[in-house]
Amino acid sequence: MGFTQQGEWHDHYARGGSFRALTDSERTVLRTALQPDSPAVALDVGCGLGELAFYLHELGYVVDAVDYAESAVELAAAQAPDDADVRFLLHDVEHDGFADLPHAAYDLVAFRLSYAFLKNRTWLVNRLREHLNPGGTVCIITPLADALPADRRDIALDEDEIALATAGWATADRFDADGMAVLVLRGPATGPVSFADKRRPPRVS
């Protein structure tokens, strides 16, 4: 079962816990779908120990990485290279004010293995949408409920939940990365959502 309380997450990281490492397949998808053409700023929500934040920085983003587990933020910050433009912050995106974030708007808001744990996903994404720069992107990386045992499906999204997450965007691209769905959402929808299901990661030459 997934953790539900802030203290559980703090204890998880404090005792040496972690989560599934970022895979080569994920890196390929993210590099192809998210690498910026110019300087850009990303918000990593539920950053854990910072692996995604560090990779986004490699891609060219300035990164604000937030988590509400104090131990995760402290451990991630301790691992950050001195020259990395990555800032780790203790912040609860569902309860703390958005004015407390370092940037007023972001080019990318990313959730890796964190979206399923949000209590009010639709409200939060709609709020974060207000803090996207024009042309900005929301990226959700999630396990799929159908691929997990019944007692672990609360850490994943099912197809109905994915449909809700992708509704209201001009484009919603879906990639498969080692059995996880990577959703890349862009632009407010002005008509029917254009949904592209890309089950295989793009080939990298």
Side-chain angles (χ1 to χ4, degrees):
M1 300 293 288
F3 297 147
T4 59
Q5 301 298 320
Q6 187 173 10
E8 293 176 303
W9 288 108
H10 172 80
D11 293 343
H12 171 80
Y13 292 110
R15 63 173 179 261
S18 61
F19 280 96
R20 171 175 170 162
L22 194 66
T23 67
D24 289 342
S25 181
E26 285 179 84
R27 292 173 189 270
T28 297
V29 169
L30 296 176
R31 184 169 60 249
T32 302
L34 300 180
Q35 188 156 22
D37 297 325
S38 57
V41 183
L43 177 67
D44 178 9
V45 179
C47 65
L49 298 179
E51 189 177 17
L52 177 62
F54 294 136
Y55 186 63
L56 292 175
H57 181 259
E58 286 182 31
L59 293 181
Y61 290 91
V62 172
V63 184
D64 295 335
V66 301
D67 204 295
Y68 77 167
E70 184 175 3
S71 57
V73 172
E74 291 176 348
L75 289 166
Q79 299 176 58
D82 292 338
D83 60 348
D85 202 348
V86 180
R87 186 177 343 196
F88 291 98
L89 303 163
L90 185 64
H91 186 90
D92 182 347
V93 291
E94 291 193 276
H95 297 99
D96 295 340
F98 289 94
D100 296 334
L101 295 173
H103 292 87
Y106 292 88
D107 301 291
L108 170 67
V109 176
F111 302 83
R112 183 179 185 267
L113 307 180
S114 59
Y115 191 79
F117 295 97
L118 299 173
K119 294 181 176 64
N120 196 336
R121 300 167 193 157
T122 302
W123 173 84
L124 178 62
V125 171
N126 284 336
R127 287 294 311 278
L128 287 173
R129 208 191 292 238
E130 299 171 4
H131 295 269
L132 280 179
N133 284 322
T137 301
V138 168
C139 178
I140 299 168
I141 305 170
T142 179
L144 297 172
D146 289 347
L148 296 177
D151 63 347
R152 298 188 65 227
R153 288 179 183 168
D154 57 348
I155 71 169
L157 298 184
D158 61 28
E159 293 298 330
D160 288 340
E161 290 167 326
I162 287 176
L164 284 174
T166 56
W169 297 91
T171 61
D173 292 335
R174 176 173 173 174
F175 303 88
D176 179 83
D178 296 318
M180 290 201 295
V182 180
L183 309 176
V184 179
L185 315 175
R186 292 187 171 101
T190 56
V193 174
S194 171
F195 185 82
D197 188 351
K198 302 175 182 178
R199 298 289 178 172
R200 295 182 180 178
R203 187 180 301 275
V204 176
S205 58

